[in-house]
Amino acid sequence: MPKILLVDDDVRLAEQIREFLALEDYVVELAHDGADAFQLLDAFQFDLIILDWDLPDTSGLSICKKFRAAGGKTPVIFLTGKDSVDNKSDGLNEGADDYMTKPFHPRELSARLKACLRRPPIYHFDTYVAGDLLLEQKQRKLTKSGKEVHLRPKEYAILEYLMRHPNQYFTSRQLIENIWNSDSETSEDTVRTSIKTLRKKIADDHEDCAIKTSIGYGYIFEVRN
């Protein structure tokens, strides 16, 4: 479940885009000015950034330029009313991966997002295999020994995130920050409950489950070489 930062000072439009993308299984954080955008970029990891050009305190171009100068590699798409060739050229030259002009069709935005997310370094594979588990991203489908396993949306999101980062520890708080919206009231107990249910679904024996817990470190999807 990719996490997107949408930076746009048009509050109503931003909410409409977030609602549409939620139906497309994206988690969307909103920022309405440059200060909020940089604060969120410092606090969270995103899979993609959507930038408006004109913001109350800065420009989307400045945000993109500073983000790239600081080593940020997350794909960036401009979504703006600026439609001149010079604007498009400047945006792409400063590190944007794509450029869309308003008004736009939501389906085109969805297609552009998917195209950017297919590029490295965010996603290298469409499927992840670990033991008898096969996770297919395009179909949002998990099978165990060839039999489909039904997962709730957040169970799938947790498993996908852990499988994308094998053999790395994540605390409950880190999972919340990277999978849920920052304004959600999700607690660490919710994460623990989701992990417990997820383990039951993907492993017959708790001891053999690839999702391990280590006190003081968090959760890890263990892949043995």
Side-chain angles (χ1 to χ4, degrees), residues 82-178:
K82 298 283 189 180
D83 59 359
S84 73
V85 173
D86 286 342
N87 289 136
K88 294 178 182 179
S89 176
D90 289 343
L92 295 171
N93 286 335
E94 292 298 346
D97 296 85
D98 203 349
Y99 195 107
M100 287 186 64
T101 55
K102 302 174 183 176
F104 64 96
H105 196 290
R107 287 176 58 189
E108 181 182 0
L109 175 61
S110 177
R112 300 280 188 106
L113 295 181
K114 291 175 182 176
C116 277
L117 289 172
R118 283 196 296 267
R119 302 170 190 166
I122 300 302
Y123 292 113
H124 297 283
F125 308 104
D126 292 324
T127 62
Y128 293 95
V129 181
D132 59 355
L133 297 177
L134 171 64
L135 187 146
E136 301 174 82
Q137 286 186 334
K138 289 184 179 179
Q139 292 79 20
R140 294 182 58 79
K141 178 181 177 183
L142 175 71
T143 56
K144 174 180 168 61
S145 300
K147 184 177 180 180
E148 186 170 356
V149 179
H150 175 71
L151 298 178
R152 294 178 179 178
K154 288 305 182 186
E155 292 170 354
Y156 174 88
I158 290 171
L159 181 62
E160 180 192 61
Y161 189 80
L162 291 175
M163 291 184 78
R164 282 201 283 127
H165 303 88
N167 298 326
Q168 297 182 46
Y169 282 103
F170 296 95
T171 64
S172 295
R173 179 51 49 188
Q174 287 174 319
L175 291 177
I176 291 172
E177 290 175 352
N178 287 291

